[in-house]
Amino acid sequence: MIIIVMGVSGSGKTTIGKLLADSLDWEFSDADSFHSPGNVDKMRRGIPLTEADRMPWLQDLQTAIKHWLQENKNVVLACSALKDSYRQFLVLDSGCTNTKSDRIKLVYLKGPYELIQTRLQERSNHYMGEKLLNSQFDTLEEPLDAISIDVAQPPQIIVQNIKTALKI
């Protein structure tokens, strides 16, 4: 199974994804590591990515998901996946014909702008700063087919809520 933990920057995708993967003894992967150096540089400078910037990144993620499914791996993937079209590309087009695979689950980390902004202000070791938060929320198309989790809760509670919702 592949669990895609999605949301805006600062919602806790990496923290929750790692904790979830550790609690399940699964592999963890962060979509940030799939970005090109050019994309990282743009984001570091507060420049939102274009669709052209994102496409190679999405293609690399799709390839990784296909590989994990072929290898029957259990992976938690932290990935913004802000637009429905990105999620469709990753989930529906990852070798799962034209229906969403029951082997890929979406978990949406949802939180209010003010909470996420505070988290980004407190974060110092990441290229994605609060400059891009407005563009993240502007781009976000909240998923209708995901497990929605309130990020205001403590991380361990969030992980338990995800496991309960997924029955794992």
Side-chain angles (χ1 to χ4, degrees), residues 147 149 153 156-166:
I147 295 164
I149 302 289
Q153 304 171 81
Q156 295 296 343
I157 300 296
I158 292 172
V159 168
Q160 189 53 53
N161 289 342
I162 293 169
K163 290 169 68 172
T164 300
L166 292 172

Side-chain angles (χ1 to χ4, degrees), residues 79-122:
C79 178
S80 55
L82 297 177
K83 285 189 173 185
D84 184 58
S85 61
Y86 305 161
R87 296 187 295 272
Q88 296 281 330
F89 186 80
L90 295 175
V91 174
L92 297 182
D93 296 334
S94 292
C96 305
T97 64
N98 56 358
T99 59
K100 188 171 124 180
S101 170
D102 59 356
R103 296 174 59 205
I104 301 176
K105 304 294 183 190
L106 287 173
V107 174
Y108 170 42
L109 300 182
K110 181 176 181 170
Y113 182 93
E114 296 75 20
L115 173 64
I116 305 295
Q117 182 180 39
T118 300
R119 288 181 176 181
L120 288 176
Q121 288 168 342
E122 294 170 354

Side-chain angles (χ1 to χ4, degrees), residues 65-80:
I65 291 169
K66 283 181 184 179
H67 175 75
W68 296 330
L69 290 172
Q70 289 168 351
E71 297 289 318
N72 289 318
K73 287 188 174 186
N74 293 315
V75 179
V76 176
L77 173 64
C79 178
S80 55

Side-chain angles (χ1 to χ4, degrees), residues 39-74:
N39 281 1
V40 171
D41 183 58
K42 280 181 90 168
M43 290 184 283
R44 183 174 282 121
R45 292 184 291 136
I47 302 168
L49 298 181
T50 65
E51 295 300 310
D53 294 329
R54 278 190 194 91
M55 190 45 66
W57 173 71
L58 287 167
Q59 289 170 333
D60 288 347
L61 287 169
Q62 183 190 69
T63 299
I65 291 169
K66 283 181 184 179
H67 175 75
W68 296 330
L69 290 172
Q70 289 168 351
E71 297 289 318
N72 289 318
K73 287 188 174 186
N74 293 315

Side-chain angles (χ1 to χ4, degrees), residues 112-147:
Y113 182 93
E114 296 75 20
L115 173 64
I116 305 295
Q117 182 180 39
T118 300
R119 288 181 176 181
L120 288 176
Q121 288 168 342
E122 294 170 354
R123 182 162 81 175
S124 61
N125 61 343
H126 196 277
Y127 60 82
M128 227 4 219
E130 70 171 302
K131 286 185 203 175
L132 292 175
L133 187 58
N134 283 335
S135 72
Q136 291 259 301
F137 271 93
D138 289 345
T139 302
L140 176 64
E141 297 171 359
E142 291 192 341
L144 302 175
D145 59 346
I147 295 164

